[in-house]
Amino acid sequence: MDIPHNSVSSPVRIGDLAQGLLAWRGRLLSAMLVLYLAGAVLIVLWPRQYVATIIVAPAETAAIATSQILTSGSLLGGGLLDPRPGGNFAVYLAVLRSADAAEMLMQHDLARDMQTRRAQKFSAVLRDLLGGSAELSRDDVQRFLEQSVIVTSARQTITWTIDLVYPDRAIALSALQHLHAFAEAQVRTGLRDTVARRMRVLQTQLETETDLFQRQALYDLLAQQQRFSMVLTADETVAARVAASAAVEDSPSRPNRTLLLMLLAPGVAMLIIASAALLIVRRRVRSHV
């Protein structure tokens, strides 16, 4: 079957495309200006947020680390070149964004402030119309932790930076301090429970063991667990040693409006030019069909 000649679209040359864009330069510049101003207004109206920061280091890297005393194996992970956290410090980092941490923050000023801000947003009206719950839940706080708690490993050192981003300066600092203390306490509680269970098992075994050599071995193990318990009581840090105390910036820095406004200009220009080019190509193709 032969294809009619007029059904085959002629290719659009680069010169024709450039000529079409040049002919529309006034319209393109006007569209860029309008779109840029609209984006700039949104960026300026975007609520600013403060960043609270604490710098920590894994306790396993300290000269006297509780975690190294409590175990005979290495807790540093896959080796010296492995950047992944390991041991108690890995548990500490996981707790920072856990459901338990969210449950703890439900009793903090952070949750009350989040509830107040949530009720003031326009989305609260839509939530009421759709029959959604107006009360802040633990899942909401946990989603906030997953989005606003930022953990960064330093490339040149063994330290880790933990940031918490929030619109209120005092609440951001307080929430980060509570998170650090809670995560450290969770690791300590887990270690204490482990030691206590071992001691109960050993004491129960000693009550029934009659062999002298076995009893001596059990006494040695019990003495070791008692030493572990003493170390846990004496050492203030078992997971993350504080290299720089929690602090919050004096002025909000999120989002970076200057950077966003600079990136908006080329983004708007490329969007408008690409849209105009597609429109020109579409018109030329239609005219040759």
Side-chain angles (χ1 to χ4, degrees):
M1 179 179 179
D2 296 334
I3 300 176
H5 177 71
N6 58 359
S7 65
V8 180
S9 59
S10 301
V12 180
R13 295 178 299 177
I14 298 298
D16 296 336
L17 184 60
Q19 185 178 3
L21 292 175
L22 185 61
W24 287 1
R25 59 184 181 275
R27 298 177 183 179
L28 297 181
L29 291 175
S30 299
M32 291 178 189
L33 180 60
V34 172
L35 187 57
Y36 181 83
L37 291 178
V41 169
L42 293 178
I43 292 175
V44 172
L45 295 179
W46 197 341
R48 304 297 301 278
Q49 293 183 315
Y50 293 88
V51 180
T53 302
I54 185 173
I55 301 177
V56 297
E60 288 88 350
T61 59
I64 302 177
T66 303
S67 56
Q68 290 180 347
I69 297 177
L70 297 181
T71 180
S72 57
S74 174
L75 295 175
L76 290 179
L80 294 177
L81 299 180
D82 191 349
R84 295 174 299 176
N88 295 326
F89 186 69
V91 178
Y92 165 87
L93 294 180
V95 172
L96 291 176
R97 301 190 184 99
S98 66
D100 291 337
E103 186 68 31
M104 179 272 297
L105 288 179
M106 288 294 293
Q107 310 302 323
H108 188 265
D109 291 341
L110 174 72
R112 290 186 284 272
D113 190 71
M114 287 179 64
Q115 178 67 57
T116 301
R117 294 176 183 273
R118 185 179 187 180
Q120 294 173 350
K121 292 182 178 180
F122 177 73
S123 58
V125 178
L126 298 178
R127 194 182 303 111
D128 293 338
L129 294 176
L130 297 175
S133 176
E135 295 296 327
L136 188 74
S137 66
R138 186 189 67 178
D139 293 337
D140 296 325
V141 178
Q142 187 171 5
R143 280 193 292 270
F144 163 79
L145 292 177
E146 293 172 353
Q147 297 171 1
S148 301
V149 176
I150 305 168
V151 179
T152 308
S153 174
R155 295 182 178 181
Q156 303 297 329
T157 64
I158 59 173
T159 59
W160 292 67
T161 300
I162 302 173
D163 296 329
L164 188 144
V165 183
Y166 195 72
D168 187 279
R169 184 174 183 270
I171 291 179
L173 178 60
S174 177
L176 182 59
Q177 292 172 335
H178 278 74
L179 276 177
H180 167 73
F182 178 78
E184 182 73 26
Q186 284 288 92
V187 176
R188 183 184 298 275
T189 299
L191 291 174
R192 282 179 173 172
D193 291 344
T194 300
V195 171
R197 285 194 300 270
R198 291 175 181 176
M199 292 177 64
R200 287 195 299 268
V201 170
L202 290 171
Q203 290 170 349
T204 301
Q205 187 68 21
L206 279 170
E207 292 175 357
T208 58
E209 182 62 54
T210 57
D211 184 86
L212 179 62
F213 294 102
Q214 290 294 335
R215 288 180 64 86
Q216 184 60 45
L218 291 173
Y219 275 123
D220 292 339
L221 291 174
L222 182 60
Q224 185 184 50
Q225 298 305 315
Q226 290 174 340
R227 179 170 66 93
F228 292 168
S229 178
M230 180 184 65
V231 171
L232 285 173
T233 303
D235 201 341
E236 296 181 355
T237 301
V238 296
R241 296 192 177 276
V242 178
S245 301
V248 63
E249 56 192 1
D250 294 330
S251 301
S253 62
R254 301 287 181 90
N256 189 335
R257 290 176 176 171
T258 303
L259 178 61
L260 291 178
L261 290 173
M262 292 175 59
L263 294 176
L264 181 62
V268 166
M270 288 188 291
L271 177 62
I272 296 298
I273 293 175
S275 301
L278 289 175
L279 182 59
I280 292 174
V281 171
R282 183 181 179 184
R283 289 187 176 183
R284 292 296 178 90
V285 170
R286 282 187 174 183
S287 65
H288 287 80
V289 173

